[in-house]
């Protein structure tokens, strides 16, 4: 059974850093495009970043460019999201998701989802 599990969330002060992990089980991650999404209370889920199967191609939402970095270690079957210079507006539940083909920022194009990890940026 295909499963994704996020970890690494928590409470951090503005300007701080967190690294989220997305671990896969039941399938080989290197055959999948992986996206990170987030959903704040009362808002729609939005795309944050996406990485191609090889890791060569990456996309970022304008709101996180220059602060977040997505990477993957296919040997560990894990994708990471390094988040630096965090802001209160980054507070949300962060999800990773898998799809075939190419990167996309659209929630509906991803077929498999993790349960999410909470990130709270507050002083």
């Amino acid at each position: 059974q295909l499963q994704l599990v996020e970890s690494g969330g928590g409470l951090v002060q503005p300007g701080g850093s967190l690294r989220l992990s997305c671990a896969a089980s039941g399938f080989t991650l290197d055959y999948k495009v992986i996206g990170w999404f987030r959903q704040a209370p009362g808002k729609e889920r939005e795309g944050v970043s996406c990485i191609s199967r090889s890791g060569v191609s990456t996309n970022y939402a304008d709101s996180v460019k220059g602060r977040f970095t997505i990477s993957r270690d296919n040997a560990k079957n894990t994708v990471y999201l390094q988040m630096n210079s965090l802001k209160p507006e980054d507070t949300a539940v962060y999800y990773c998701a898998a799809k075939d083909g190419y990167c996309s920022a659209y929630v509906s194009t991803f077929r498999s989802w993790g349960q999410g990890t909470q990130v709270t940026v507050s002083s």
Side-chain angles (χ1 to χ4, degrees):
Q1 181 179 356
L2 189 153
Q3 188 175 11
L4 295 168
V5 179
E6 303 94 337
S7 62
L11 173 64
V12 64
Q13 292 186 342
S17 298
L18 284 174
R19 188 177 80 157
L20 305 184
S21 298
C22 173
S25 63
F27 69 103
T28 302
L29 197 63
D30 53 351
Y31 291 121
K32 299 290 186 181
V33 167
I34 301 297
W36 282 99
F37 294 79
R38 67 186 181 186
Q39 188 166 19
K43 294 188 176 181
E44 293 188 355
R45 194 170 297 189
E46 64 174 358
V48 174
S49 184
C50 187
I51 189 165
S52 64
R53 289 175 293 175
S54 66
V56 171
S57 177
T58 57
N59 296 338
Y60 297 94
D62 288 342
S63 59
V64 306
K65 278 182 183 176
R67 300 187 298 120
F68 290 11
T69 303
I70 191 171
S71 62
R72 65 192 301 157
D73 186 340
N74 288 339
K76 294 183 178 180
N77 231 23
T78 302
V79 171
Y80 305 98
L81 185 68
Q82 178 67 44
M83 307 187 297
N84 299 329
S85 302
L86 283 161
K87 305 175 181 180
E89 51 264 43
D90 294 319
T91 296
V93 177
Y94 283 71
Y95 301 88
C96 64
K99 68 184 296 290
D100 296 317
Y102 300 95
C103 267
S104 169
Y106 296 103
V107 171
S108 62
T109 64
F110 285 79
R111 294 290 178 260
S112 302
W113 291 82
Q115 83 290 347
T117 185
Q118 175 70 47
V119 171
T120 303
V121 184
S122 175
S123 55

